[in-house]
Structure formats: structure tokens, C-alpha cells
Amino acid sequence: MFKKTKHNHEILDPIHGFIHLNSKERAVVDSRPFQRLRHIHQLGLSYLVYPGATHRRFEHSLGVMKLADQVFDVITKDENLSDDIRDAFGELQDRERWKTTVRMAALCHDMGHTPLSHATEPLLPPGTDHEDVTYDIISHDDLKSLWRGLGIYGEDIAKLAIGPEKLNHQEFTPWEIILSDIITGDFFGVDRMDYLLRDSHHLGVTYGRFDHDRVIQSLRLLATPPEEEYSSGPILGIEEGGLGAAEGMSLARYFMYSQVYMHPICRIYEIHLREFMKDYLQDGHYPDDLEAILSLTDNQINAALADAALDQEKSGHQSARIITTHDHYRLIYERDDTLDQERIEESTETIFRDICHEFGEKNCRHDRYFPSKTQPNPFFIKKRHGEIVSASKYSQIFKNLPIVRFDRLYVAPSITKKVSKFLDQRKRRS
């Protein structure tokens, strides 16, 4: 039988105030895989552009756990459950065990990040991403005894932390889909809530702020309307009174992506970093050995960057020098967003080839971001009189929210003026 453990540890967080843990959860925080997150920057090298962006995956993971706990309490509160939802989920009889599982999944959801987070994730072995590494870590021997002590299953924690979209080879019950959506969901996932609030706070920008308390308190388990094809079962949605806060959250995400995460200088630093890492890592990518990945943090990479920048004979010297001296390649061209996508891609590719031909490939870089998934699955709104409708049909904000995408060309600082003149002449000829 599951035994509830008293909360007797607290950590003060600048975003959410005190975060409480019981002794068994504290043991997970003290474990080697979780303590490693103290040394993984949340936003890679963004601190070279935004000096305050030195926060780590460690505190983000704690924040996600607190928000997941709050959401779980709201959506499973008796007065917030309709009879049909209560009948659909027999698991509600075992709330304490599932609440513990959700808290642990939220806490562990980012343990698989590579050094400097998303910036170097493409160097994992082909077909692997940080979610795959997270799944392996949660299933690792270091944590198995902790899961047994909590009276929960590591497999359940891993499933909720990763979600059905990534673990599409595994079967998820409707209840597991809901609980995973609390953490990883496209609209109301608390991972997103925390990183928007936390990144905005540390970077000193206001773009990521929104009324997350209002969003959370308005969340409900809703039955999918029969005419909708997206889901045949209950889904995480929101009451109409919280729609404005939900719209604010989506706008916050749009502006954080367009103005911060995809900042052209942040992006070129990521390119320089990956080029260095390809020289630094054996065979140009991270090993597929879990222990080897767990032993790597930002500390080793920063030390290697500093060492290589000072020694021309070191592998990766040029990229390291660029990063440590802030001599990054300069943005020279960005696509015209008024053109249709096919013409944009063809036009930029042609310009890039011409610049490379004229000035050498080593002096030019191309960075394109066209997300494959332009629109997430819909969420549903419970209107004041009880009707449940799709947000994509009801909200003008969600109908018209822009898509963040770009196509950019960069060149070495020493040839910026020459390339600019070349592009002007090229434009006049065309």
C-alpha cells in the first residue's frame, strides 16, 4: 500500500517561491543524474547575448515539478470533476500514487539534456534526442532503488516524462495521456509554463510573462465533443474564464521564440558551438554510452573551449576562438517573409551558393528554421453554459497566431562589407 510521506524539505525559487519535497524526492534530487543538471545551462550560449541567461536545468526541473503538482490538484479536485469524467477514470481512486508519479516525472523530464542543452543535442547519435537519453536515465540502476522506495514504477515515470508523441511505440492509457499532457503538452504543459516564466525573468525581458496562476486554476478534464476527430476520450482543456490567460501564454511563447530563442546572434553561436563540438567529440558526435554522457557537463566543454582558443594546434581552434572572443559570423541576409515558402527556400539557397562560390564555403553559414509541426493539436474550452468547443475555432488569437520561421545567411566579419557590396550588385543585376 502506498504510504504518503511528509513534506519536510524546501527550496526557495525566484519564480515560484518555496518548492517543497519529501525526503524520498529529496533523494532523487541528490542523485548523480539530477545533480548533473546544476551544470547544464538552460539556454546554451545565450548568456553571450543576454548576460543574465546563466540559469540551469536544475532549477527549471524543480519549477516544473511544482507546477505539475498544482495542475494535478486542480484537475482532480472533486468539485472540478463531472460525473462522466469521474466514471471514465478509475485511476482517480489512486490519486496519491499518481500524484507522486507525476511529480517525479516532472522532476526528471530533462535529465537527458546534453551539455549546453538544445544547442548540442543534434550531435547525439542519429535518431536519438534528449528524451531518449532521459528515458534511459530514469530506467538506470542509479534510480531504480529510489523508485521502489517511493512505491512507484520507473516505467510509469518515464512514460509520463516523455509522452506518447515521442514514445509512439508504447501504448498509453487515456489516463496516462492526460498526466503526460500536464508535463509535455503543446498548450498547457508545465514544462513550457516554467521555461517561459523563468527564461523571461533571467534574461530581463517581459515577453514570456503571462498569468500562469489563472491558466492553472482554469484547467479542467473535458470530454471531447463527439464531432471532433482529434480524440475519442477526455482531454485537458480550460474553462472559458481562463481563455484570455491561455491566449496570453501562447502569445508569450510566440514572442519568446521570435525575439529571444531565435535571436540571430544566439543562433550563430549555436552553429559555432556545434562546429567546435564536432571536432571535440570522438567521431563528431556524442557516444551512445549512457555513462559517458552522464559524465559530460558544460564544465568540460567550457574548459575545452578556453584551451582550444589559445592553441592553434588544438582541434576546433577556430570555432573556439570565435566563441571566446565574441567574433561570431555576421548576419548578412534574411529572407523576405512576404514571399511564398518554396520561392523563399530556392532564393536563399541560390544566394548562399553564390556567396560560397565567391568568398569560400568556410566563410559562410546558412541557418534555416521551418518547423515541421506548424500547428499543435487543438485544446478545448468549456463555455460558461457547458458547451465544449475547440479553441482553434473559437479564439481569434489561436486562429491567427503567426508561425515563427526564418532563413538566414551569415558571413565571416572580415568580409561583411565585401559580401554586402556583392549582394547589392547582384540585386541590381537581377
Side-chain angles (χ1 to χ4, degrees):
M1 181 178 177
F2 178 76
K3 183 179 179 181
K4 187 175 180 180
T5 307
K6 180 182 177 182
H7 284 174
N8 52 7
H9 301 279
E10 57 186 22
I11 299 173
L12 184 58
D13 178 66
I15 310 302
H16 306 299
F18 282 106
I19 297 173
H20 297 274
L21 307 95
N22 62 43
S23 293
K24 292 178 180 178
E25 292 168 340
R26 171 66 184 269
V28 176
V29 171
D30 287 342
S31 69
R32 179 172 67 106
F34 195 86
Q35 286 293 311
R36 173 179 171 271
L37 299 182
R38 288 184 183 273
H39 311 291
I40 305 291
H41 278 86
Q42 173 91 354
L43 295 179
L45 293 178
S46 293
Y47 60 81
L48 297 177
V49 179
Y50 298 95
T54 56
H55 52 304
R56 314 300 173 102
R57 291 279 161 183
F58 181 87
E59 53 264 39
H60 164 65
S61 299
L62 291 167
V64 172
M65 183 188 72
K66 177 165 184 176
L67 292 180
D69 182 272
Q70 291 175 348
V71 172
F72 184 91
D73 283 348
V74 168
I75 67 171
T76 61
K77 191 180 296 184
D78 283 334
E79 55 264 39
N80 293 338
L81 293 169
S82 61
D83 290 339
D84 55 341
I85 293 294
R86 193 178 286 105
D87 293 341
F89 292 124
E91 294 92 341
L92 286 166
Q93 304 301 317
D94 200 6
R95 294 183 204 190
E96 285 302 324
R97 184 177 75 84
W98 282 113
K99 180 175 179 176
T100 299
T101 307
V102 167
R103 284 174 62 88
M104 296 313 307
L107 189 65
C108 298
H109 80 285
D110 265 355
M111 287 204 296
H113 269 291
T114 54
L116 294 155
S117 293
H118 292 292
T120 69
E121 186 173 341
L123 301 180
L124 283 168
T128 305
D129 54 27
H130 80 272
E131 287 93 350
D132 297 307
V133 182
T134 296
Y135 189 93
D136 291 342
I137 292 173
I138 293 173
S139 307
H140 194 258
D141 290 341
D142 280 5
L143 296 176
K144 281 183 179 178
S145 60
L146 293 175
W147 306 145
R148 286 194 295 268
L150 282 163
I152 54 181
Y153 300 104
E155 293 83 358
D156 290 339
I157 296 169
K159 287 176 74 174
L160 301 192
I162 308 305
E165 187 171 332
K166 291 290 184 179
L167 295 177
N168 52 24
H169 60 286
Q170 294 197 26
E171 186 175 343
F172 279 67
T173 68
W175 179 244
E176 289 172 332
I177 291 173
I178 290 287
L179 297 186
S180 178
D181 210 34
I182 291 175
I183 302 167
T184 65
D186 281 330
F187 280 108
F188 300 121
V190 293
D191 174 37
R192 173 176 298 178
M193 290 189 196
D194 186 85
Y195 76 64
L196 289 174
L197 296 168
R198 192 172 301 277
D199 295 349
S200 183
H201 170 83
H202 285 283
L203 272 62
V205 301
T206 60
Y207 306 118
R209 298 178 188 173
F210 63 98
D211 189 353
H212 73 286
D213 287 325
R214 179 62 164 154
V215 172
I216 290 174
Q217 292 304 315
S218 301
L219 291 175
R220 297 291 184 270
L221 293 177
L222 303 177
T224 308
E227 66 273 14
E228 293 287 346
E229 297 181 0
Y230 165 63
S231 172
S232 58
I235 193 170
L236 192 63
I238 197 165
E239 289 189 327
E240 186 175 6
L243 177 59
E247 291 173 333
M249 179 179 169
S250 288
L251 288 170
R253 180 179 183 272
Y254 168 74
F255 285 118
M256 284 294 283
Y257 267 84
S258 63
Q259 302 300 313
V260 175
Y261 302 140
M262 299 301 167
H263 189 291
I265 299 179
C266 293
R267 292 286 295 190
I268 190 59
Y269 273 128
E270 288 186 9
I271 291 173
H272 292 313
L273 176 63
R274 284 193 292 273
E275 289 172 349
F276 169 77
M277 293 294 290
K278 286 178 181 178
D279 290 326
Y280 172 76
L281 294 169
Q282 186 175 0
D283 299 323
H285 58 75
Y286 287 109
D288 56 10
D289 176 59
L290 187 60
E291 286 295 333
I293 292 179
L294 283 173
S295 69
L296 278 175
T297 68
D298 295 5
N299 298 339
Q300 292 96 319
I301 306 309
N302 286 328
L305 278 168
D307 188 36
L310 296 174
D311 187 346
Q312 295 185 20
E313 301 302 316
K314 288 279 187 181
S315 181
H317 163 73
Q318 183 63 11
S319 299
R321 181 198 64 78
I322 287 171
I323 292 169
T324 57
T325 61
H326 306 164
D327 194 27
H328 59 83
Y329 281 27
R330 304 307 198 252
L331 179 65
I332 197 69
Y333 174 84
E334 188 162 11
R335 64 120 191 249
D336 182 353
D337 204 23
T338 62
L339 300 176
D340 64 84
Q341 185 169 335
E342 289 186 6
R343 189 179 165 196
I344 289 167
E345 295 188 23
E346 179 183 7
S347 174
T348 309
E349 284 286 0
T350 302
I351 295 170
F352 181 63
R353 287 197 299 268
D354 288 351
I355 295 175
C356 289
H357 177 76
E358 187 72 19
F359 298 97
E361 289 185 12
K362 69 176 183 178
N363 292 314
C364 309
R365 299 293 183 271
H366 186 186
D367 185 28
R368 176 190 296 147
Y369 179 74
F370 284 97
S372 57
K373 186 177 181 180
T374 57
Q375 293 295 339
N377 293 321
F379 72 90
F380 295 93
I381 304 164
K382 183 179 181 180
K383 297 178 70 175
R384 289 180 175 86
H385 52 74
E387 181 187 0
I388 297 174
V389 296
S390 171
S392 60
K393 298 176 182 177
Y394 185 69
S395 164
Q396 291 299 318
I397 296 294
F398 289 114
K399 285 180 183 178
N400 300 296
L401 194 65
I403 298 168
V404 177
R405 63 187 189 187
F406 59 78
D407 210 354
R408 296 168 177 158
L409 304 181
Y410 298 83
V411 297
S414 59
I415 62 169
T416 303
K417 291 183 179 179
K418 292 179 181 178
V419 175
S420 181
K421 184 178 180 180
F422 171 79
L423 290 177
D424 286 341
Q425 293 172 343
R426 185 182 184 282
K427 188 176 181 180
R428 284 195 295 270
R429 287 197 302 269
S430 62

